[in-house]
Amino acid sequence: MSLRAPRICLDVVGRTAGGSSALSRTWSSGLVTRHRCYASAAGSIRQKAKPAAGATTEEDIQNFETMHRLVERKEVDISSTPLDLLDLSVPSWRSLKEGATILDHLRAVIQRQRNWVFNARALYRMAKARSIPGVKPKSPWSWQLLSVQSTKPTAWLAPFRQAALEVYKRVNEAVAARDEKAIKLMSIGAQQAAYTRLIRKQDPRYINVWKFHGERTPCRVVSIRAFEAYYGIQPPRIGSRLAVQALVRFDTLQSIETYNKKTGARLGETEPKPVVEYLVFQKRMWFDSPWVIRDRLYEGLESRFMAP
């Protein structure tokens, strides 16, 4: 990923900490858009004067120098700006569109194969930068590059899958318990806003407890992307320059237990229900911080973004 000044204007801001049985409802995922600014041509309309090419180049160089000085003096951290949602998608062998044509099914197959290639590329980048959680591969070249979606305990992404499952359970427990502080630690962006809205819709007269009854199928990574997002001149003190986004599929059995807040009496529990969710996890690998949930995706949703 490259920065070009002044055409791409970065919003330099820091990360912002920013019914009871409805935990399985779906939410719309928000997409972070990059703001672009365009400089209008200066000069008289009558003369239609055009700026010299040399002046534009000199201005670009000055902008770069100013940006690097700010980074060196730690007055601004452009590596903490919000990241775009990448071209993650739920792979499928056929199109889920209503009335899908043969061409639609062909696009779905091509998208699936494309996702497979980019999964391998992302895992290679992570292995090369030694940024695979809990794993230190001897070489980035391995058959493991082809097993991103594997649920075997020996797979490179096995430690990450366990970490993602723990975050998933803790987030659901926090939503049921109306713990907004915990939600802010484990989620960001649109998904954090969705969890917060769900918390505030609950009836304060009751206490809800989320129950996890196990996985119907093991959680697995279906799509993953890794790209350089640390723009400091010097390498980070810990980790690598990579930022990673991973789309994880969860297939679990869940229920909600409800109590009267005033008396503490148990009012009942819902029957365990199967819940399938696709959640996007994100981590900046130069921070000693946990994985956070940033978006929710759905089957049949076509990616509109290019891979990094």
Side-chain angles (χ1 to χ4, degrees):
M1 179 178 292
S2 61
L3 293 178
R4 294 180 298 169
R7 293 191 173 239
I8 298 180
C9 299
L10 293 175
D11 296 328
V12 184
V13 295
R15 288 180 60 186
T16 306
S20 63
S21 62
L23 288 176
S24 61
R25 70 172 62 181
T26 58
W27 301 299
S28 299
S29 59
L31 302 178
V32 180
T33 58
R34 180 176 296 172
H35 301 284
R36 296 179 179 268
C37 62
Y38 299 88
S40 58
S44 171
I45 298 179
R46 292 182 181 179
Q47 296 179 354
K48 296 182 180 180
K50 296 183 179 179
T56 303
T57 304
E58 184 178 351
E59 182 183 353
D60 290 346
I61 294 175
Q62 291 177 352
N63 288 335
F64 274 118
E65 291 177 348
T66 300
M67 180 177 65
H68 287 311
R69 282 198 300 270
L70 291 174
V71 172
E72 287 179 343
R73 294 201 299 261
K74 298 182 179 180
E75 294 182 15
V76 65
D77 182 11
I78 61 175
S79 299
S80 295
T81 57
L83 301 176
D84 290 349
L85 175 64
L86 299 180
D87 65 325
L88 300 166
S89 62
V90 180
S92 176
W93 286 111
R94 62 184 182 87
S95 174
L96 300 180
K97 290 182 179 179
E98 185 176 353
T101 64
I102 295 179
L103 186 58
D104 291 327
H105 293 307
L106 179 61
R107 288 197 188 101
V109 173
I110 294 174
Q111 174 67 22
R112 181 186 178 91
Q113 297 305 107
R114 176 180 178 274
N115 179 66
W116 180 80
V117 172
F118 287 147
N119 282 352
R121 184 176 72 169
L123 199 55
Y124 169 80
R125 288 175 174 173
M126 294 172 67
K128 186 177 181 181
R130 293 187 174 273
S131 291
I132 301 178
V135 176
K136 294 182 179 179
K138 296 180 180 179
S139 170
W141 293 106
S142 169
W143 288 107
Q144 290 272 16
L145 298 178
L146 309 180
S147 60
V148 168
Q149 298 190 36
S150 173
T151 58
K152 294 181 179 179
T154 56
W156 277 357
L157 291 180
F160 163 70
R161 292 192 301 104
Q162 291 301 315
L165 180 60
E166 288 303 314
V167 173
Y168 177 75
K169 291 191 290 187
R170 289 168 56 196
V171 162
N172 280 283
E173 290 170 351
V175 171
R178 297 195 288 273
D179 189 349
E180 293 191 27
K181 184 178 180 180
I183 290 298
K184 289 179 180 179
L185 294 175
M186 296 181 288
S187 62
I188 59 173
Q191 198 57 31
Q192 182 184 110
Y195 288 141
T196 302
R197 286 195 301 270
L198 188 56
I199 286 176
R200 295 176 181 177
K201 286 182 179 179
Q202 296 183 40
D203 193 329
R205 296 175 300 173
Y206 304 104
I207 297 175
N208 298 309
V209 179
W210 182 79
K211 295 289 187 177
F212 177 71
H213 298 274
E215 296 181 283
R216 295 199 304 169
T217 58
C219 66
R220 59 188 174 91
V221 179
V222 297
S223 191
I224 189 169
R225 302 292 181 266
F227 62 101
E228 288 194 1
Y230 183 85
Y231 304 120
I233 299 175
Q234 300 297 327
R237 294 181 180 179
I238 61 173
S240 68
R241 294 179 179 268
L242 294 179
V244 179
Q245 293 180 5
L247 179 60
V248 183
R249 181 184 188 271
F250 296 94
D251 184 2
T252 62
L253 286 172
Q254 311 174 9
S255 67
I256 294 291
E257 196 171 18
T258 305
Y259 295 85
N260 186 294
K261 185 176 183 179
K262 187 175 181 179
T263 64
R266 185 178 184 274
L267 302 179
E269 181 178 356
T270 63
E271 290 293 327
K273 296 181 179 179
V275 178
V276 177
E277 296 180 275
Y278 293 88
L279 298 176
V280 178
F281 286 75
Q282 177 177 289
K283 180 174 172 58
R284 301 169 195 258
M285 306 309 290
W286 60 92
F287 284 145
D288 185 15
S289 58
W291 291 86
V292 293
I293 302 174
R294 57 159 295 160
D295 282 290
R296 180 191 301 270
L297 298 185
Y298 309 92
E299 293 182 343
L301 182 65
E302 295 183 359
S303 173
R304 296 182 298 163
F305 299 93
M306 295 298 293

